[in-house]
Amino acid sequence: MLQERTEPAWIDAFEAVLRRCALQPGDTVAILGETQSRPVLLELARLAAARIGADAFTLTLPSVFTRGEPVTRSTGATPAIQQLGPVIAALQACTLVVDCTVEGLMHAPELPAILQGNGTTQPRIVYVSNEHPEALARLLPDDATEARVKAHVKHLRGAKAMRVTSPAGTDLSISLQGAVAGGNWGSTTRPGTLTHWPGGLVLAFPAAGSVNGTLVLAEGDVNLTFKRYIERAITLTIEHDYVTHIEGGGVDAELLRSYFAAWNEQEAYAVSHVGYGLCDAARWDSMALYDKRDFNGTELRAFAGNFLYSTGANETAGRYTRGHFDWPMRGCTVMLDETVVVDAGKVVA
Ligand SMILES: [Fe+2]
């Protein structure tokens, strides 16, 4: 088991990320946390900001607990800010926000207001995924990943369609018309933007009615919401974005059906985002090596060549739900229009 305490190597890692976000002496930094944040992450951010000579403060909000709904995981939308005006104003006034909330600000309702700034200052945000620092330190942003992600974002934004196939039987057609596409490489220097660390993936939120076909979660693919490797294949039929049929036996399929049904919302069955991983340092097998509490799974969203399919909220399609699945899949071939970008699980250079 890994201990959660400050280690010089982990302060070095945080310092490297803050420097890559162009943090300068005298800049104002908010270290944003909540009562359920991993304390060591707040501490490492504070020590790293101090090394650089930035003026940092830590803001710890009460975590929000909702009764009467299923356990939520990996929504990417922290509810901790609760539209509190003074909190939004404090974050708007910073050069950099180090987001150590459990779920992150990616899809928080307050994000657009924060990124807009206050007219004088416009912050940038780095979300530190809720991982054990040992994993974060292995997955530092680097020039090669940044360049690769930027190239693939450009390609993705220019494409009209994505097609995904696999030897297990996946055959998906995805229209990218009207999709919102982007990517993350783990650092940002541009005011008004957010990144997450670890980074190294591209994704698109398709417009409504864009996804049709068959998705086969094969042995060794991952259900990140449960933090489990799939052991028995599950075949999903997808019609106009929605999972309409789930075929397969065993615990994996039963858990999937049960959690989908727990939301009692049609939107939970619809596509959230589609994309693929581009980070060479990230590893498919890493989940086997961590306790669940030490692991938030961004490494598996990012490992090079995985096709990542997600169900749940999709603002582009006008759908909102807190039920969310992320399924990193191996061995898929991904085509953007006529170009193969991932060939049987390997990123094409
Ligand atoms: Fe997701």
Side-chain angles (χ1 to χ4, degrees), residues 69-94:
E69 68 168 28
V71 177
T72 55
R73 290 286 183 270
S74 67
T75 60
T78 178
I81 297 180
Q82 295 283 297
Q83 297 289 355
L84 278 171
V87 173
I88 295 169
L91 301 179
Q92 285 172 330
C94 293

Side-chain angles (χ1 to χ4, degrees), residues 73-76 107 203 205 224-225 272-273 301 308-313 324-327:
R73 290 286 183 270
S74 67
T75 60
H107 303 296
L203 48 79
F205 290 86
L224 260 190
T225 306
S272 174
H273 52 88
R301 295 177 179 91
L308 179 62
Y309 190 93
S310 291
T311 55
H324 193 83
F325 276 123
D326 279 320
W327 300 320

Side-chain angles (χ1 to χ4, degrees), residues 142-184:
D142 63 79
D143 292 343
T145 307
E146 180 171 339
R148 195 178 311 134
V149 171
K150 284 178 174 171
H152 281 270
V153 167
K154 210 169 155 189
H155 199 156
L156 184 62
R157 285 185 175 152
K160 291 190 173 63
M162 180 186 284
R163 171 119 191 270
V164 185
T165 55
S166 78
T170 292
D171 193 347
L172 272 188
S173 294
I174 302 164
S175 167
L176 295 173
Q177 312 266 16
V180 172
N184 263 298

Side-chain angles (χ1 to χ4, degrees), residues 34-50:
E34 57 180 293
T35 47
Q36 286 297 308
S37 291
R38 211 179 276 275
V40 71
L41 300 182
L42 298 168
E43 194 63 3
L44 290 166
R46 185 177 71 78
L47 294 169

Side-chain angles (χ1 to χ4, degrees), residues 212-235:
N212 287 284
T214 304
L215 187 75
V216 180
L217 298 173
E219 193 176 327
D221 291 342
V222 179
N223 189 326
L224 260 190
T225 306
F226 299 149
K227 298 178 187 170
R228 280 172 65 100
Y229 292 105
I230 302 281
E231 295 189 358
R232 276 172 73 177
I234 307 167
T235 301

